[in-house]
Amino acid sequence: MQVLVTDPIADAGLDVLRDAGFEVETGYELEGEALLEAVSDASALIVRSGTEVTREVLEAGEDLVIVGRAGIGVDNIDIDAATDQGVIVANAPEGNVRAAAEHTVAMTFATARSIPQAHARLAAGEWAKSEFLGTELNGRTLGIVGLGRVGQEVAKKLDALGMDIVAFDPYISSERAERLGAELVDLDECLAAADVLTIHTPLTPETEGLIGADELAALDGGYLVNVGRGGIVDEDALAAAVDDGTIAGAALDVFAEEPLSADSPLLDVEDVVLTPHLGASTAAAQENVATSTAEQVVAALSGEPVANALNAPSIDETAFGRLEPYVDLAETAGNIATQLLDGRIERVEVTYEGELAEEDVEFLTASALEGVFSPLEWQVNAVNAPQIAEDRGVDVVESKTRQTADFQSLLSVTVSNGDEELTVDGTLFAGDDQRIVRIDDYRVDAIPHGKMVVTRNTDEPGVIGLIGSVMGDHGVNIAGMFNAREAIGGEALTVYNVDTEVPEKAREQLEADERIIDVRYLTLSA
């Protein structure tokens, strides 16, 4: 498999890919048709902020499994298009957290103490000691917009320096904020209370232009620091607010357009500190994001869950060993259920019982949906299965119960076509040995593998013998058989593992016998 890297990353990341046995191609100047041609052979694409991963690029990459962003921001990647194509988008949110937080602290001190301006005057031969009166941070209030990973790290560092912390983040609980030593408030309160305002939100339609002239006026004499994303702060309004003294100063590492234009008004205001997007520019950060991204690519291409997938469910690293064996089981149960039910799928319910109900099962549900939809010949995987369900109006229900009668953990997939429904239950024996233990009301002990035949028939002597004889007459070897019945003399269900495809004529011959109610031939991918 080929991994295409179109923006420079640290050699440590490339080494991870090569050590895993993948072919690595680098093309740091690729764009336009050359990029489309290069990505057509790639199973994975790794980028930073320089490559625009558009719908056209994703459609050209017919074999793409994952796009890895060596960094946090993914506004250069069309995530909706990637989801439509079933391509995972993953970033490296942890790798440069410390570096970005430290740069935020450095920029806070730089603007509060006018360090760059004082240096420039001294370098020009002026001893301007009396012209710079700084602001101490101890006892002041830090306002944080966006209490994510970087915001939390900044809160810890500046709390330790004696600052009081208030934060605005509509996606975090007040309890979590309190554990970080921060008081969660709305944006207006955050602006009014802050002596220093730092910004750590992603750039989204909701956050674009979030800090404009009115918000800067509410900051009133404070300082603004943005080492997050450009476009969140109105740069013209910021330049004017610093220039006229509405706020005391500002420090920016990111801009709406990069590189920063030579005619930006920010360059003409003395009390604005500017750096060229250096937040993640440390050797440790670059190595961390490169190896983190490469490891996620290796996981995706190896068929394993991806830790930081943005458009697909993921499995937490600490739970991976417990849940990994259930991924295939969920897909298999969904696959069998769909092949046994006639008609259009209108509803899917995935139920977790026992110890499994204690886990985060989002990835397992997506895998079950992948199994449900794959027999219908839709281009589906765990990335786009939830989206396919939504697009096609399929209701998806997930339920859990800690109680289970017979097994340590049980996973059930129920599919419905509006008139009928069918349930397949599965569990694991001896760690990772998959078993189908119930189909509707029939208790079985079937090994889901390869080619299978499921028959329903009246429970009377000679029927199983007939089925074996017909199979033999058509050259079909039975590798295993698992039988169940409702009651003596009622209906019975039998699952057969077979070595070869069952010819249509064999199925017709079986169904011609009045004792045979139904015959289904199933194929599984594993």
Side-chain angles (χ1 to χ4, degrees):
M1 292 183 178
Q2 183 188 104
V3 180
L4 176 64
V5 184
T6 58
D7 294 314
I9 65 171
D11 289 342
L14 301 179
D15 291 341
V16 168
L17 296 167
R18 294 187 178 113
D19 290 347
F22 299 117
E23 177 188 350
V24 178
E25 293 289 334
T26 57
Y28 301 149
E29 304 297 329
L30 290 174
E31 58 183 20
E33 290 297 325
L35 174 60
L36 298 180
E37 182 176 349
V39 79
S40 65
D41 296 324
S43 298
L45 173 64
I46 293 179
V47 302
R48 293 180 65 190
S49 58
T51 302
E52 290 292 326
V53 186
T54 63
R55 181 175 293 273
E56 186 179 18
V57 170
L58 291 159
E59 290 177 349
E62 294 182 358
D63 297 327
L64 277 180
V65 174
I66 181 171
V67 174
R69 167 63 163 95
I72 296 179
V74 289
D75 37 298
N76 58 316
I77 302 171
D78 189 334
I79 295 180
D80 289 341
T83 303
D84 291 343
Q85 298 293 116
V87 177
I88 299 167
V89 177
N91 65 351
E94 301 288 352
N96 57 13
V97 166
R98 186 177 296 108
E102 289 184 0
H103 196 63
T104 300
V105 174
M107 294 286 269
T108 300
F109 276 107
T111 187
R113 298 303 298 268
S114 302
I115 293 171
Q117 295 90 336
H119 169 79
R121 296 283 288 276
L122 187 60
E126 298 181 55
W127 187 262
K129 180 178 179 179
S130 62
E131 296 186 29
F132 296 103
L133 186 65
T135 298
E136 292 185 15
L137 299 181
N138 182 61
R140 301 284 183 167
T141 298
L142 172 68
I144 298 178
V145 177
L147 202 57
R149 293 179 177 90
V150 177
Q152 291 176 21
E153 191 71 18
V154 169
K156 293 174 187 176
K157 294 181 184 301
L158 291 179
D159 177 62
L161 292 175
M163 296 194 79
D164 298 322
I165 314 292
V166 297
F168 166 68
D169 190 325
Y171 304 105
I172 195 169
S173 69
S174 57
E175 291 80 7
R176 174 61 177 158
E178 287 174 8
R179 287 198 296 271
L180 295 163
E183 179 187 358
L184 201 63
V185 297
D186 63 27
L187 181 58
D188 289 341
E189 291 178 270
C190 187
L191 291 165
D195 296 300
V196 177
L197 187 77
T198 66
I199 298 171
H200 310 286
T201 69
L203 180 63
T204 67
E206 291 76 25
T207 63
E208 185 173 9
L210 180 67
I211 306 299
D214 292 343
E215 289 73 26
L216 293 167
L219 188 54
D220 190 23
Y223 297 90
L224 181 140
V225 178
N226 186 10
V227 184
R229 303 299 293 175
I232 295 170
V233 178
D234 183 329
E235 294 170 9
D236 290 344
L238 178 63
V242 176
D243 191 45
D244 66 18
T246 299
I247 65 173
L252 277 74
D253 184 52
V254 291
F255 309 94
E257 292 185 8
E258 297 181 0
L260 183 65
S261 171
D263 61 1
S264 169
L266 294 169
L267 295 168
D268 298 326
V269 182
E270 183 178 5
D271 291 324
V272 175
V273 178
L274 307 174
T275 54
H277 207 144
L278 301 180
S281 293
T282 68
Q286 293 306 301
E287 183 167 316
N288 288 342
V289 298
T291 55
S292 173
T293 304
E295 287 165 357
Q296 293 183 85
V297 167
V298 171
L301 297 185
S302 302
E304 298 176 356
V306 176
N308 294 312
L310 300 176
N311 63 336
S314 59
I315 294 178
D316 184 85
E317 186 176 348
T318 59
F320 182 80
R322 299 191 300 272
L323 295 184
E324 183 187 18
Y326 287 97
V327 173
D328 284 341
L329 178 64
E331 181 182 350
T332 298
N335 194 297
I336 291 173
T338 294
Q339 293 189 67
L340 290 177
L341 185 76
D342 285 325
R344 180 183 183 275
I345 302 297
E346 295 186 4
R347 187 176 185 273
V348 179
E349 180 173 2
V350 188
T351 302
Y352 303 93
E353 299 181 13
E355 291 183 1
L356 193 57
E358 301 290 329
E359 304 284 357
D360 181 351
V361 294
E362 184 182 12
F363 191 91
L364 300 185
T365 298
S367 298
L369 292 175
E370 177 182 356
V372 168
F373 296 144
S374 57
L376 306 178
E377 299 183 354
W378 295 343
Q379 296 299 311
V380 61
N381 58 22
V383 177
N384 60 10
Q387 187 64 48
I388 286 175
E390 182 177 343
D391 291 345
R392 287 163 172 77
V394 178
D395 292 329
V396 179
V397 178
E398 181 184 288
S399 59
K400 294 180 176 182
T401 174
R402 189 65 181 80
Q403 303 301 316
T404 181
D406 302 311
F407 303 98
Q408 193 170 358
S409 289
L410 188 73
L411 182 154
S412 302
V413 179
T414 301
V415 293
S416 170
N417 60 17
D419 297 320
E420 300 177 284
E421 68 176 29
L422 186 140
T423 300
V424 175
D425 294 353
T427 192
L428 299 177
F429 290 171
D432 60 358
D433 188 9
Q434 294 184 26
R435 287 288 195 278
I436 299 302
V437 294
R438 188 177 292 109
I439 298 176
D440 277 343
D441 296 326
Y442 296 97
R443 176 70 181 268
V444 295
D445 182 16
I447 300 173
H449 177 78
K451 301 172 178 62
M452 302 172 66
V453 176
V454 178
T455 65
R456 285 192 303 120
N457 53 270
T458 56
D459 180 38
E460 56 184 283
V463 180
I464 290 178
L466 167 70
I467 293 172
S469 296
V470 172
M471 295 282 198
D473 291 344
H474 289 272
V476 178
N477 186 56
I478 297 174
M481 184 186 78
F482 311 91
N483 181 251
R485 63 185 180 184
E486 292 178 326
I488 297 175
E491 287 188 10
L493 180 143
T494 309
V495 180
Y496 300 89
N497 291 112
V498 295
D499 292 335
T500 56
E501 182 177 353
V502 179
E504 182 65 32
K505 287 184 177 180
R507 286 175 261 173
E508 291 174 354
Q509 186 176 342
L510 289 172
E511 290 175 342
D513 190 290
E514 62 182 10
R515 296 169 296 176
I516 305 293
I517 300 167
D518 189 40
V519 178
R520 296 296 175 95
Y521 171 68
L522 316 180
T523 57
L524 303 179
S525 59

